[in-house]
Amino acid sequence: MKIRRADRLVDMTNYLLERPRKLVSLTHFAERYDSAKSSISEDLTILKRTFQERGIGLLETLPGAAGGARFTPYMTREDAAEFIDELVEEVSDGTRVLPGGYVFLSDLLGRPEILRRVGRLIATQYLNDNIDAVMTAATKGVPVAQAVAEELNVPFVIVRNDSKITEGPTMSVNYLTGSSKRVEKMELSRRSLPTGSSVLVVDDFMKAGGTIKGMMSLVGEFEGTVVGAAVFAEGLVSERVVTKYTSLIQVDTLTSDGEGITVAPGNYETEIFGE
Amino acid sequence: MKIRRADRLVDMTNYLLERPRKLVSLTHFAERYDSAKSSISEDLTILKRTFQERGIGLLETLPGAAGGARFTPYMTREDAAEFIDELVEEVSDGTRVLPGGYVFLSDLLGRPEILRRVGRLIATQYLNDNIDAVMTAATKGVPVAQAVAEELNVPFVIVRNDSKITEGPTMSVNYLTGSSKRVEKMELSRRSLPTGSSVLVVDDFMKAGGTIKGMMSLVGEFEGTVVGAAVFAEGLVSERVVTKYTSLIQVDTLTSDGEGITVAPGNYETEIFGE
C-alpha cells in the first residue's frame, strides 16, 4: 500500500532520529513506503529544511542510485549558550557544596532532559570526526558517556577501579590521581573495546585530570587513538595534567566557609564556536 | 511566519519524541507554528495514525481549550518478540561464559541501539503507571536505568555499595546477597530521591534477587512505593528472594564444563502480553 506524504514525513523523521550518523538508502525508504525514489527525495528536502531551521541537526542527502540520507544531530550556538546558562544557574546553589569542597551533581546527571542535551552538545563538537567508541570511568561518568554515545550512535565502555568477575580478562594501567598524587589502577574489559579504536574520553567532573589522563593511556594500551576529552564540569585547580579538553561548566567552591560556590561557563563555547 | 503542514509534521514529530509522557498544549503548538488550532489538531491526527501504524507509540489527544497531546512510546508485541529473539541469539555464545559461571554482557549494555530498545520494552510494561523515578545499583545497572528513564522521561537514581564523598548525606540499608548469604550495605544519596516517590527498580542481571530486594527496602526507607522490578537478564537459581519481577532473557551456564550456555526468553512476554 502506497503511503501518503504526510505519513511518510512523520515516520521518516522518527526513523532517522533513531539512527544518528547512519546512512539510510533511498531504496530502503522507497520500499518501506512503496513510493518512488523521486518522492522520497522530495520528502528528504523537507526534512532537511526543517531540521536546519529548527536546529535539530544536519541531514545530508547523497544523490544517485547508491544515495541515501544521513542525519547528524547537533546543537546550534544559540541553543548551546542557553543550555550552558541554564546549567550554570542550576549548579549555582550553595547547598550543593559538600564537606571538602565537593559538589553534588548526581541529580542533574540523572535527569534525561539534561543528559540528552549534554550528549547533544558534546557530540556537536565532534560533528566531523570519526569516533568508534566513548570511554568513561565508573560510576558517575556513565550517564554522560551513554548520552554522548547515543548521539554519536557508537558503543560506550566503562573503565573501573575495581576488577569485577563479570568483566572477564581486563587490560589495566596505573595512574596518578592529580590532586592527591596517589597511584591508582584502572581496568577495562579486554572484550569491550576493539584494538585500534578511535576513542572519545568523557567524564562528569575533572579536577587536575588524573582520571582523564589515565583513560588516555588506557586507550594507548588498546592501540587506539584519543579523539578528544570532554567533561561536564571542571573544578578550579592550580595545575592540570591534561591540557586539551572541553568543559560545559566551571565550578569553584570556597571551602573556607564551606558554603560558597561560583559557577561559570566552561571553555566549550570558546573552543567550539570561537570568541 | 506561517509554517507549512509538511514542516510542522516533521518538527512536531521531533518535538513530541523528545518529550515522552509530557502533555504539550495545542496553544503551544499553535504559537510555535503561527497556525490555527484546527490545523494543529489535523496534524496530530496524522501523527497519531502513523505512530500507531508503525508501532512507535501512543499519541493521546485531549480536546478542548485546555487540550493537547501526550506521546507515550511503546513497543508492539511483534517487535518485542523479535527483539528478545535477537537478544537470545546474541547472548547464546559460549565465549561469553566466564569462570564461576558468570556471563559477559557489558558489550550489549554499551550499545545505544540495544539500550534504546531495552528501555522501550521495559517502559511498555508500565504504560499506564505513574512512575516518579527509576532506581538501579552501580555500576552495571546504570545503562539499563538510564535507558528506561529516558523512555519514561523521569530521573534515575544510583544505589552504591561504597559511599562516595560526592554524594552528600546518604540513607543506607543492609541486605543479604541472595547467592552467597553475605550481609552487605547499600546506600543512596538522600538528596537524589524525594520522599514518597513511586519507584521502578531495574538491574542488568538478577540471580537470587538480593540486590533487587535490598533496593526495594531502600525505597521503603524513603517512604516510597515500589511500582515494579525489571531486569535485563535472570540467571537460573533454585531459590529466589524476589517473586514479582520481569526479565527479558534467562541465562543458564553449565559451570561444570565452563563453556556451555543456554539462553531463553525471560518471563517478559508472558507477563506483559499473556500466553
Side-chain angles (χ1 to χ4, degrees):
Chain A
M1 187 191 66
K2 243 199 179 72
I3 306 288
R4 275 167 288 192
R5 161 146 297 154
D7 297 59
R8 283 200 312 259
L9 290 172
V10 171
D11 184 63
M12 215 181 262
T13 300
N14 175 64
Y15 196 91
L16 287 165
L17 290 176
E18 284 195 343
R19 290 162 182 80
R21 294 188 174 218
K22 293 273 176 273
L23 184 69
V24 183
S25 72
L26 278 186
T27 311
H28 177 85
F29 280 134
E31 283 170 6
R32 185 174 173 94
Y33 307 121
D34 191 16
S35 303
K37 282 190 189 180
S38 55
S39 307
I40 301 293
S41 285
E42 287 164 29
D43 297 344
L44 289 170
T45 306
I46 298 171
L47 262 72
K48 185 179 187 152
R49 180 176 67 216
T50 304
F51 282 4
Q52 190 182 335
E53 278 170 5
R54 297 283 170 180
I56 297 169
L58 178 70
L59 190 69
E60 293 165 282
T61 45
L62 290 85
R70 181 170 43 219
F71 165 64
T72 309
Y74 65 63
M75 207 183 254
T76 61
R77 181 173 193 162
E78 195 187 340
D79 288 347
E82 193 183 310
F83 177 51
I84 289 173
D85 284 348
E86 192 184 321
L87 292 177
V88 168
E89 203 185 306
E90 282 251 29
V91 179
S92 298
D93 167 3
T95 70
R96 291 189 175 277
V97 182
L98 302 169
Y102 290 94
V103 183
F104 183 78
L105 295 172
S106 301
D107 57 334
L108 287 179
L109 299 179
R111 277 162 53 188
E113 85 280 10
I114 298 274
L115 286 169
R116 187 169 43 77
R117 287 179 289 169
V118 167
R120 180 76 49 102
L121 202 48
I122 294 177
T124 298
Q125 206 179 326
Y126 302 97
L127 206 59
N128 301 310
D129 292 290
N130 175 42
I131 295 173
D132 299 316
V134 177
M135 176 186 280
T136 195
T139 297
K140 294 201 301 174
V142 179
V144 176
Q146 184 164 342
V148 176
E150 280 173 20
E151 298 288 321
L152 296 175
N153 207 359
V154 299
F156 62 95
V157 299
I158 305 170
V159 172
R160 316 178 54 127
N161 283 118
D162 53 329
S163 165
K164 280 277 178 178
I165 38 182
T166 49
E167 292 300 322
T170 61
M171 180 88 88
S172 81
V173 295
N174 293 314
Y175 69 104
L176 205 59
T177 67
S179 33
S180 57
K181 304 283 182 202
R182 282 193 320 274
V183 176
E184 297 206 353
K185 185 175 166 173
M186 55 167 71
E187 302 184 73
L188 179 63
S189 163
R190 197 73 194 79
R191 190 164 170 160
S192 304
L193 186 68
T195 304
S197 297
S198 294
V199 178
L200 171 63
V201 174
V202 305
D203 211 349
D204 63 323
F205 200 92
M206 179 176 87
K207 281 187 290 189
T211 307
I212 297 282
K213 201 175 172 193
M215 286 195 273
M216 287 172 160
S217 73
L218 199 48
V219 172
E221 290 304 319
F222 279 82
E223 295 168 41
T225 310
V226 176
V227 180
V231 298
F232 175 72
E234 62 171 315
L236 276 189
V237 292
S238 53
E239 218 179 321
R240 241 185 264 286
V241 297
V242 172
T243 50
K244 224 179 126 31
Y245 67 91
T246 53
S247 64
L248 305 190
I249 57 170
Q250 199 179 61
V251 183
D252 185 22
T253 55
L254 311 163
T255 51
S256 50
D257 73 355
E259 275 281 323
I261 186 167
T262 313
V263 189
N267 66 0
Y268 181 92
E269 242 197 295
T270 322
E271 293 279 331
I272 307 319
F273 297 108
E275 292 295 345
Chain B
M1 185 193 68
K2 244 196 176 76
I3 307 288
R4 274 168 289 194
R5 161 146 297 152
D7 297 59
R8 283 202 310 261
L9 290 173
V10 172
D11 184 64
M12 216 180 262
T13 300
N14 176 63
Y15 195 92
L16 288 165
L17 291 177
E18 284 197 342
R19 289 160 184 81
R21 292 193 176 215
K22 292 275 178 271
L23 184 68
V24 182
S25 71
L26 278 187
T27 311
H28 177 85
F29 280 134
E31 284 169 5
R32 187 175 173 91
Y33 307 122
D34 190 16
S35 303
K37 283 192 188 179
S38 57
S39 305
I40 302 293
S41 284
E42 287 165 29
D43 296 343
L44 289 171
T45 305
I46 298 170
L47 262 71
K48 187 179 183 149
R49 180 177 66 216
T50 304
F51 283 4
Q52 189 181 337
E53 276 169 8
R54 297 284 169 179
I56 298 170
L58 178 70
L59 189 70
E60 294 164 283
T61 45
L62 289 85
R70 182 170 44 220
F71 166 64
T72 308
Y74 63 64
M75 207 183 252
T76 61
R77 180 173 193 160
E78 197 185 339
D79 288 345
E82 194 182 308
F83 177 51
I84 290 173
D85 284 349
E86 193 185 320
L87 292 176
V88 168
E89 205 184 306
E90 282 252 27
V91 179
S92 298
D93 165 3
T95 71
R96 291 190 174 273
V97 181
L98 302 169
Y102 291 91
V103 183
F104 182 77
L105 294 173
S106 301
D107 57 336
L108 287 179
L109 299 179
R111 277 163 53 189
E113 86 282 9
I114 298 274
L115 285 169
R116 188 170 44 76
R117 287 179 289 169
V118 167
R120 180 77 48 104
L121 201 47
I122 294 177
T124 298
Q125 206 178 326
Y126 301 97
L127 207 60
N128 301 309
D129 291 289
N130 175 44
I131 295 173
D132 299 315
V134 177
M135 177 184 278
T136 195
T139 299
K140 295 201 301 172
V142 178
V144 177
Q146 183 164 343
V148 175
E150 279 172 23
E151 298 288 322
L152 296 175
N153 205 359
V154 299
F156 62 95
V157 299
I158 306 170
V159 172
R160 316 177 55 127
N161 282 120
D162 53 329
S163 166
K164 280 274 180 183
I165 39 181
T166 49
E167 291 300 322
T170 60
M171 180 88 88
S172 80
V173 295
N174 293 312
Y175 69 103
L176 205 61
T177 66
S179 30
S180 57
K181 303 284 181 201
R182 282 192 320 275
V183 176
E184 297 206 353
K185 185 174 165 173
M186 56 167 71
E187 302 185 74
L188 178 64
S189 163
R190 196 73 194 77
R191 191 166 167 158
S192 305
L193 187 66
T195 305
S197 298
S198 294
V199 178
L200 172 62
V201 174
V202 306
D203 211 350
D204 61 322
F205 201 90
M206 180 176 85
K207 279 188 291 188
T211 308
I212 297 281
K213 201 177 172 191
M215 288 195 270
M216 288 173 161
S217 73
L218 198 48
V219 172
E221 292 304 319
F222 279 80
E223 295 169 40
T225 310
V226 176
V227 180
V231 298
F232 176 72
E234 62 171 316
L236 275 189
V237 291
S238 53
E239 218 177 319
R240 242 185 261 285
V241 295
V242 172
T243 48
K244 225 179 130 27
Y245 67 90
T246 52
S247 64
L248 305 189
I249 58 170
Q250 200 179 60
V251 183
D252 186 22
T253 54
L254 310 162
T255 50
S256 50
D257 73 357
E259 275 280 324
I261 187 168
T262 314
V263 188
N267 67 1
Y268 181 93
E269 240 195 295
T270 322
E271 292 279 329
I272 308 316
F273 298 107
E275 290 296 346

